[in-house]
Amino acid sequence: MNPTPAQRAALSFQGPLDLEATLYSGQAFRWRRLDDGQSLGLIENRACIVHVDGQRLRTQAEPGLNPARIRWYFRLDASHARALARFPDDAYLASALTRFPGLRLLRQAPWEALVSFRASIEGLSRLAGEPVDFEGHRLFRFPKPQRLARLTDAQLRSTGLGYRARYVRGVADEVVAGRLEPRLLATLNYEAAFERLMELDGVGAKVADCVLLYGCDHHAAFPSDVWVRRFLRETYLPRGRAPDYERIRRFAWKHFGKHAGYAQHYLFHYRRAVGTLAAKSA
DNA sequence: AGCCAGGCTAAGA
DNA sequence: TCTTAGCATGGC
């Protein structure tokens, strides 16, 4: 296969951009650090190498991945600052913002987010994705629904999916049959999109909210896992029984507002990377 | 090195 | 009707 040429760009941006926190905080699964300190991954299924140079994001991208799309993916527009500006005056959030001011919520592809629910993204890509040779590295694109739907159960399981293989197959079938259009989830309002996702076999509230937050830019989505629950119990909800999913999200909307999900990612990352949150600025 | 995820289902209280 | 174990596998 012919190596794919790279197109270079330097994208200027406002405010801080912390690629390390942004790419490796558990919201994206397709990036890796190169020996020279840059990061290699795929954006909208096209290979890309990035690093920050002052107030510019320097990129090498496959043709077809335009600078505008890279800006969109990394949220190099004002929407990052806007979301932060709407955060409540909150001591815990302030700690996380002080420590990781350049952590940005990525805008990833709905289809990939949908299947990445606990699926092995890398495994599925290696198994069924088109290989790409880019700047001396080999990557694999994430397979389209049509491709995943044609895989056998044994093939899906070979990627480490285990009994979740049938969930992946089910979602792929839904898309192929035209009953589900991942891109439309971003255009529905949050509640409608949440309900639609919950109808899918293998998608519960946590997974639905992850898809909506990381793949559809729905900031109302507040996925709560063990880290978020732990954080909440250490801070706002210390007594009583462990709150269930519904109670947590209602608390989140009331306390964090319309960008609760964006705040969630800050708290999630801080709790995992640093430890128990201090109520004072770090 | 063992526990636990996340969603579903079947079995138990 | 509500709660709980088990599922296949990998990550902490």
Side-chain angles (χ1 to χ4, degrees), chain A residues 239-251:
Chain A
R239 46 192 110 246
R241 277 197 315 138
D244 62 19
Y245 198 90
E246 195 52 36
R247 267 197 63 202
I248 289 176
R249 76 207 296 225
R250 266 190 264 117
F251 166 80

Side-chain angles (χ1 to χ4, degrees), chain A residues 137-207:
Chain A
H137 308 280
R138 168 152 282 203
L139 300 93
F140 295 87
R141 303 193 200 283
F142 191 71
K144 299 210 166 344
Q146 292 78 3
R147 181 82 178 93
L148 285 192
R150 272 190 277 113
L151 296 176
T152 65
D153 197 61
Q155 283 177 308
L156 287 171
R157 282 173 176 265
S158 75
T159 65
L161 277 177
Y163 69 94
R164 298 183 205 89
R166 69 187 192 88
Y167 300 155
V168 172
R169 143 76 35 68
V171 170
D173 285 342
E174 286 281 294
V175 176
V176 169
R179 290 189 294 268
L180 174 70
E181 291 191 55
R183 307 213 84 86
L184 286 187
L185 293 169
T187 67
L188 297 175
N189 66 42
Y190 166 74
E191 286 79 10
F194 182 83
E195 293 305 319
R196 179 66 190 96
L197 283 169
M198 289 285 284
E199 291 171 8
L200 299 169
D201 197 17
V203 177
K206 161 68 162 51
V207 167

Side-chain angles (χ1 to χ4, degrees), chain A residues 37-97:
Chain A
Q38 301 193 83
S39 284
L40 166 70
L42 296 110
I43 295 173
E44 295 175 5
N45 241 349
R46 293 187 196 269
C48 191
I49 293 174
V50 295
H51 74 278
V52 169
D53 175 15
Q55 285 302 110
R56 287 169 192 274
L57 180 68
R58 295 201 177 270
T59 67
Q60 299 168 70
E62 265 190 88
L65 175 58
N66 301 321
R69 300 311 302 166
I70 302 176
R71 298 190 72 92
W72 176 256
Y73 179 87
F74 283 104
R75 200 181 289 277
L76 301 185
D77 50 45
S79 74
H80 173 69
R82 273 204 303 272
L84 266 51
R86 298 290 292 268
F87 283 176
D89 186 13
D90 177 289
Y92 301 108
L93 256 185
S95 295
L97 284 164

Side-chain angles (χ1 to χ4, degrees), chain A residues 222-241:
Chain A
F222 193 86
S224 47
D225 69 349
V226 61
W227 292 99
V228 173
R229 276 191 296 269
R230 192 169 292 160
F231 155 72
L232 289 173
R233 301 221 78 196
E234 289 163 355
T235 53
Y236 305 98
L237 306 169
R239 46 192 110 246
R241 277 197 315 138

